[in-house]
Every structure is written in C-alpha cells, then in structure tokens.
Amino acid sequence: MEDRTADLLKVNAALVHANHLKDEFMATMSHELRTPLGAILNRVEMMQLGINGALTPQQGYSLQVVEQSAQHLLDLINDILDLSKIEAGKVELELTYVNVADMCSQAISFVQDRATQRNLQLNISIEPHLTTVFADERRLLQILVNLLSNAVKFTPDDGRIGIDATADRKAGLLTFTVWDTGMGIAEEDIKQVLRPFVQIDSGLNRNSEGTGLGLAVVAKLVELHRGVIRIDSALGEGSRFHVSIPWHG
C-alpha cells in the first residue's frame, strides 16, 4: 500500500512538473511568435497606406495575402493561449455591468466588413427594457465575435446572420442567440463542435481557414460566467447558438 502511494505521488509530481513546463512554453511562444507577427502586420499596414510609395495592383494583392496569412496565424496563437490559460485556471473574469445594446453592436461591427463582402445581411434584436448584464465585457465580446465569425464562415453569400438578446426573468438568465441561415450542423456533429480542434467537414469549411478552437474557447468562457451554451441546428436549416448567463451576477 505504501509503495502504491509513493508511486502515485511520483506520478502526480511528474504531472505537475509537465504542466509547469507547458505553461512556460506557452508563455515563451506568446512572446516569440506574437511579437514578430505584430511587426509583420504593422509593416504591411504601412505599405498598404502608401507610406513607402505607391503600390501596383499586384503588389497590393500580394500584401493582402500576407496580411491575411499573418492574421490567421496570430488568431491561432491567441486561441491556443486562451484555451491553455483557461484550462490552467489562470483566467479571472472582471465582472461589471455591460450595456447589452452596445455589446451587440460592437460585436456586429467586428464582422461587418467580411459580411459585406459576402452580401450577408446582419440583424440585431434586443428584448425591450433589456439594458445591462453583469459580465466580463472583454470576454463577453470575445464570445459573441467568435460565434458571429463562425456564422459568417458557414453562411453562403446573400444569407442572413443575427444576434438576439432575451431575458428569462424568472430564471434570472440573459440569453444571447447568434443565428445564421447557413449550412447547418448534422445532429451527430452538434456535440463535437465545442471540442478543441474539431472542424465539421463541409464545402464551405474546406474553402475557409479556421483554427478549430474558436467554439471551444467560447464554451470555456461561457462556463467561467457560470452559464450554459446550447446549439439548435440541422443540415440545410442554419444554426442557432444560445449563450445563457446569469443576468444580475
């Protein structure tokens, strides 16, 4: 019995050490990769503004490809770091009263350009008298932007995307619903989409870049808010992601 206990203690110590090494690696990766990517994006922006001289159309297109690729890598790194920090218990929410209408508008603005390029109609619907919610403003915005970005990715041109805010006063819950008229999700895949690195195979997905982490980060952040996330979807019928969090904390 004593030998078994000693073995378990050794295994536990090894796991703690391995987790510490992982945290150190993630911190190093954060600095060593994000810093040069930030410099690349900054230089690209300067060149696109013509600070170093006018660009030819081909040069402009090439810089756009560089910008998109660098931003994709930066998004991937940020998602990995966020997920790692949350799972390590190193993310603490800064709760405050957040204006619901402003939050929805700000989230929509993040995907406005991509939606316009695809001729996607964006909608906001907020239940009357629903003004504030007690939440972490930055993390709540991250939740909504990730869900909206996913909706843009999986909605064909000329489709519709929206965000609704409703309240269940009896249960003390506020629900943000991000919906789309996109490809939808098969019933057998719904339980999988919130897991890290899971990407549903579809025609749109094969033509789009993604980390497979955005929805996993959303699920973890909702959990930190003591909330729940529910998905209603079917193939060819679009998707509805319902995020419910305590209304008054």
Side-chain angles (χ1 to χ4, degrees):
M1 184 66 178
E2 291 181 358
D3 290 342
R4 180 174 175 77
T5 300
D7 289 340
L8 290 174
L9 288 174
K10 289 180 180 179
V11 171
N12 186 61
L15 289 173
V16 170
H17 180 63
N19 190 60
H20 178 68
L21 291 176
K22 184 196 74 172
D23 290 341
E24 287 187 345
F25 169 75
M26 298 303 291
T28 301
M29 187 178 75
S30 171
H31 175 75
E32 296 298 332
L33 294 182
R34 286 199 293 186
T35 299
L37 281 173
I40 290 171
L41 287 168
N42 180 261
R43 290 288 182 174
V44 167
E45 182 180 8
M46 291 174 60
M47 296 177 70
Q48 288 175 326
L49 291 173
I51 293 176
N52 297 317
L55 301 174
T56 66
Q58 183 60 43
Q59 289 172 330
Y61 173 77
S62 297
L63 283 177
Q64 184 179 6
V65 172
V66 172
E67 179 187 27
Q68 291 174 346
S69 299
Q71 187 61 57
H72 175 62
L73 285 174
L74 190 58
D75 290 343
L76 174 59
I77 293 166
N78 288 335
D79 282 344
I80 291 174
L81 289 171
D82 272 340
L83 198 59
S84 176
K85 288 178 181 177
I86 293 170
E87 291 181 340
K90 294 185 177 181
V91 173
E92 294 186 5
L93 300 182
E94 298 180 7
L95 299 174
T96 184
Y97 284 100
V98 179
N99 185 285
V100 173
D102 289 348
M103 174 60 59
C104 292
S105 297
Q106 191 175 356
I108 285 288
S109 70
F110 272 81
V111 300
Q112 182 78 57
D113 288 345
R114 280 174 288 166
T116 299
Q117 293 172 2
R118 304 266 307 283
N119 198 32
L120 300 176
Q121 179 183 333
L122 298 173
N123 303 271
I124 297 177
S125 175
I126 301 173
E127 187 177 283
H129 311 301
L130 186 54
T131 55
T132 61
V133 61
F134 197 60
D136 184 307
E137 185 171 6
R138 184 169 74 89
R139 295 302 186 177
L140 180 56
L141 179 62
Q142 185 177 2
I143 290 170
L144 298 180
V145 169
N146 278 8
L147 290 175
L148 286 167
S149 297
N150 197 66
V152 170
K153 176 181 176 182
F154 287 100
T155 302
D157 294 357
D158 304 315
R160 293 184 297 118
I161 293 169
I163 179 170
D164 302 338
T166 58
D168 184 336
R169 289 164 174 77
K170 183 178 293 186
L173 294 174
L174 184 149
T175 299
F176 292 96
T177 298
V178 175
W179 57 268
D180 62 66
T181 59
M183 305 295 292
I185 306 170
E187 183 178 356
E188 63 270 20
D189 292 327
I190 288 179
K191 292 183 179 180
Q192 307 295 322
V193 297
L194 299 179
R195 295 173 54 194
F197 299 106
V198 171
Q199 289 182 305
I200 302 303
D201 187 26
S202 74
L204 283 178
N205 189 48
R206 285 191 294 270
N207 295 322
S208 304
E209 292 183 334
T211 65
L213 289 173
L215 293 180
V217 171
V218 165
K220 294 292 185 180
L221 290 176
V222 172
E223 185 178 338
L224 281 178
H225 277 87
R226 296 184 291 116
V228 295
I229 182 169
R230 181 170 55 85
I231 305 171
D232 292 327
S233 186
L235 285 177
E237 298 181 10
S239 301
R240 300 179 71 86
F241 286 78
H242 308 279
V243 171
S244 299
I245 60 176
W247 189 4
H248 296 299

